[in-house]
Amino acid sequence: QVQLVESGGGLVQSGGSLRLSCVASGFTLDRKSVGWFRQAPGKEHEGVSCLGTGDANAYYTDSVKGRFTISRDNDKNMVYLQMTHLKPEDTGVYYCVAPNGVTNIQAMCQMGPYMDPNYWGQGTQVTVSS
């Protein structure tokens, strides 16, 4: 079965840190671009960070630049999102995706609301209290 399973979310105070993990099964991530998206209550999906197959090629939405870091471990078939200096506006359900046919990671991240809903897994809840 092809799936991505996210974990690592939780409740944290403003200024705190969390590390999200995503494990892939049924396929390998090493040749795919990957990304983290989030959905805040009442809002559309938003691309947070996307990473190309070259690893050095990463995109971050402006609101998380300097605070979040995306990475992958191909040996473990996993993707991570290290989040620091968290803010209440970072609250939401976080999803990892590995869509097919990605040629531009910025465009991938900016697809948020238009991403094929089949790519959304269960997600992991992140709640940042003020």
Side-chain angles (χ1 to χ4, degrees), residues 110-126:
Q110 292 176 340
M111 279 186 66
Y114 311 107
M115 184 70 70
D116 184 338
N118 289 321
Y119 287 120
W120 304 128
Q122 63 180 17
T124 186
Q125 176 71 46
V126 172

Side-chain angles (χ1 to χ4, degrees), residues 92-105:
V93 180
Y94 283 68
Y95 304 87
C96 68
V97 298
N100 297 319
V102 175
T103 59
N104 182 294
I105 59 167

Side-chain angles (χ1 to χ4, degrees), residues 76-98:
K76 295 182 179 179
N77 218 23
M78 294 189 70
V79 184
Y80 304 99
L81 186 68
Q82 180 68 49
M83 307 186 295
T84 64
H85 299 95
L86 282 161
K87 304 176 181 179
E89 51 264 43
D90 295 318
T91 294
V93 180
Y94 283 68
Y95 304 87
C96 68
V97 298

Side-chain angles (χ1 to χ4, degrees), residues 20-39:
L20 306 184
S21 299
C22 171
V23 59
S25 59
F27 70 105
T28 57
L29 289 171
D30 59 344
R31 296 184 180 182
K32 303 198 75 174
S33 295
V34 294
W36 285 96
F37 289 69
R38 66 187 177 191
Q39 186 177 29

Side-chain angles (χ1 to χ4, degrees), residues 34-40 44-50 59-65 68 70 81 93-95 97 105-115 120:
V34 294
W36 285 96
F37 289 69
R38 66 187 177 191
Q39 186 177 29
E44 294 179 324
H45 289 87
E46 173 192 22
V48 175
S49 180
C50 294
Y59 169 86
Y60 297 92
T61 193
D62 286 346
S63 63
V64 307
K65 284 181 181 176
F68 290 12
I70 188 171
L81 186 68
V93 180
Y94 283 68
Y95 304 87
V97 298
I105 59 167
Q106 179 174 343
M108 170 186 166
C109 257
Q110 292 176 340
M111 279 186 66
Y114 311 107
M115 184 70 70
W120 304 128

Side-chain angles (χ1 to χ4, degrees), residues 5-18:
V5 178
E6 305 91 342
S7 62
L11 173 63
V12 63
Q13 289 187 333
S14 182
S17 300
L18 283 173

